Amino acid sequence: MDIAMIGLGRMGANMAERLHRGGHRVIGVDPGEAARSAAAARGFEVSASLADALAALPVPRVVWLMVPAGEVVDQTLASLAPHLSEGDVVIDGGNSYYKDSMRRSAQLLQDDVTYLDCGTSGGVWGLQEGYSLMIGGDKAAVERLGDIFRTLAPAADRGWSHVGPSGAGHYCKMIHNGIEYGMMQAYAEGFALMQRKAEFNLDLAEVARTWQHGSVVRSWLLDLSVDALDKNPQLDGIAPYVPDSGEGRWTVAEAIDLDVSAPVITLSLLERLRSREGNSYSDRMLSALRNQFGGHQMKTD
């Protein structure tokens, strides 16, 4: 099939290459010259112009967006709009908020353009291992573009599915990332406990390798933990600062809206926020209060 990949960052470039390897014609589009040059070295076509890329594709066209969620998606769609025509399909493979995806789908449908929201998981390993794809939107369009999804997925018959109507793909990816927050937090806390038990002098990488086989906590995240601990057992040089990209916040907000208890995901998000407090006012306030009511000693800087 023929497809334009808009956005040639780490994910977009790798996905474009996987499609190219699978026999599809890919035109990669990115405003950055360095990104285009790196992509061209991988063997597929590149362009700095959305108009030129779409003009080079047969009608109806397929356009895949791998750009940052939020305003950038709307800006890209606004730039694409004059060049889209009836029957074209736009796939948003980024981490857009699902309600934004529902709005965008309705907006494009007015011009008979189909919008699919595709939650995409796989990170930097997707080129090698394949991507997990959760696709929302028109089922007929998903079936028509099945060859694209089968190429990107780990295998033709698994790792991808049409999960529901518009917005459902990004909704599932949002919940997926919320679960990921909780899983990573549990691993981090467990390894912190073992690291603190100094008298046992535990080899954490070896413990993690033991868990990889037969254990109920084995997972790909555990495999990645082994790699990280093998390379840097004490995690030297890594700042205790954990960013979040939004999906955890949206998941917690959804839990509140739906009256669903989600304490693990919620606390894992709060722990990420806490990691950014280099000089926590709340901790200093706690210390002051303990001193006030009980005369407990305060540690000073």
Side-chain angles (χ1 to χ4, degrees):
M1 300 188 75
D2 299 81
I3 184 169
M5 179 67 70
I6 313 298
L8 298 174
R10 287 175 298 178
M11 287 278 285
N14 281 349
M15 294 172 73
E17 181 174 346
R18 188 171 173 90
L19 287 168
H20 176 69
R21 289 180 183 179
H24 303 280
R25 180 194 176 201
V26 182
I27 303 177
V29 184
D30 197 283
E33 184 176 350
R36 293 196 305 273
S37 297
R42 298 181 180 215
F44 53 88
E45 301 172 56
V46 296
S47 175
S49 166
L50 292 172
D52 290 348
L54 266 64
L57 293 175
V59 177
R61 291 157 294 197
V62 182
V63 181
W64 192 300
L65 306 184
M66 286 305 292
V67 299
E71 187 177 348
V72 177
V73 177
D74 287 317
Q75 291 172 346
T76 304
L77 289 175
S79 298
L80 280 171
H83 311 290
L84 295 172
S85 57
E86 180 181 348
D88 289 348
V89 178
V90 177
I91 306 168
D92 181 359
N95 284 327
S96 290
Y97 184 44
Y98 78 97
K99 291 184 179 179
D100 288 339
S101 297
M102 295 170 70
R103 168 180 57 80
R104 291 163 184 152
S105 177
Q107 185 176 349
L108 286 176
L109 193 59
Q110 295 175 9
D111 297 318
D112 293 317
V113 174
T114 299
Y115 184 89
L116 300 178
D117 52 289
C118 181
T120 306
S121 181
V124 296
W125 293 90
L127 174 59
Q128 174 184 329
E129 303 291 338
Y131 299 89
S132 176
L133 306 172
M134 300 143 265
I135 311 156
D138 182 68
K139 186 175 183 179
V142 174
E143 291 175 348
R144 178 162 65 86
L145 303 183
D147 284 346
I148 290 174
F149 301 124
R150 283 187 282 269
T151 301
L152 288 170
D157 61 347
R158 61 182 183 272
W160 73 280
S161 63
H162 175 247
V163 296
S166 176
H170 281 151
Y171 187 86
C172 289
K173 179 55 165 42
M174 176 185 74
I175 303 303
H176 165 284
N177 283 22
I179 293 169
E180 178 186 293
Y181 276 44
M183 292 174 67
M184 287 194 291
Q185 184 66 32
Y187 278 125
E189 292 175 7
F191 282 110
L193 284 166
M194 291 188 290
Q195 191 269 344
R196 184 67 64 89
K197 196 68 172 175
E199 62 264 40
F200 286 167
N201 193 29
L202 296 170
D203 182 337
L204 299 188
E206 186 59 30
V207 172
R209 272 191 291 273
T210 302
W211 289 353
Q212 283 180 295
H213 305 282
S215 165
V216 296
V217 300
R218 63 187 184 273
S219 72
W220 186 48
L221 286 174
L222 181 63
D223 296 340
L224 297 177
S225 300
V226 171
D227 291 339
L229 291 167
D230 273 335
K231 293 173 183 175
N232 188 357
Q234 297 303 318
L235 306 181
D236 295 327
I238 300 176
Y241 182 104
V242 188
D244 75 282
S245 52
E247 296 89 346
R249 299 180 187 224
W250 299 337
T251 302
V252 171
E254 193 71 12
I256 294 169
D257 287 345
L258 296 176
D259 291 331
V260 173
S261 175
V264 172
I265 294 173
T266 302
L267 286 173
S268 66
L269 171 64
L270 296 180
E271 280 298 301
R272 292 195 180 198
L273 301 181
R274 178 179 171 78
S275 77
R276 302 165 203 179
E277 298 182 25
N279 185 14
S280 171
Y281 185 87
S282 60
D283 286 346
R284 286 183 283 141
M285 188 67 184
L286 284 171
S287 183
L289 288 172
R290 290 182 76 250
N291 175 260
Q292 287 292 321
F293 74 73
H296 301 288
Q297 185 176 357
M298 291 186 295
K299 184 177 178 180
T300 58
D301 292 333

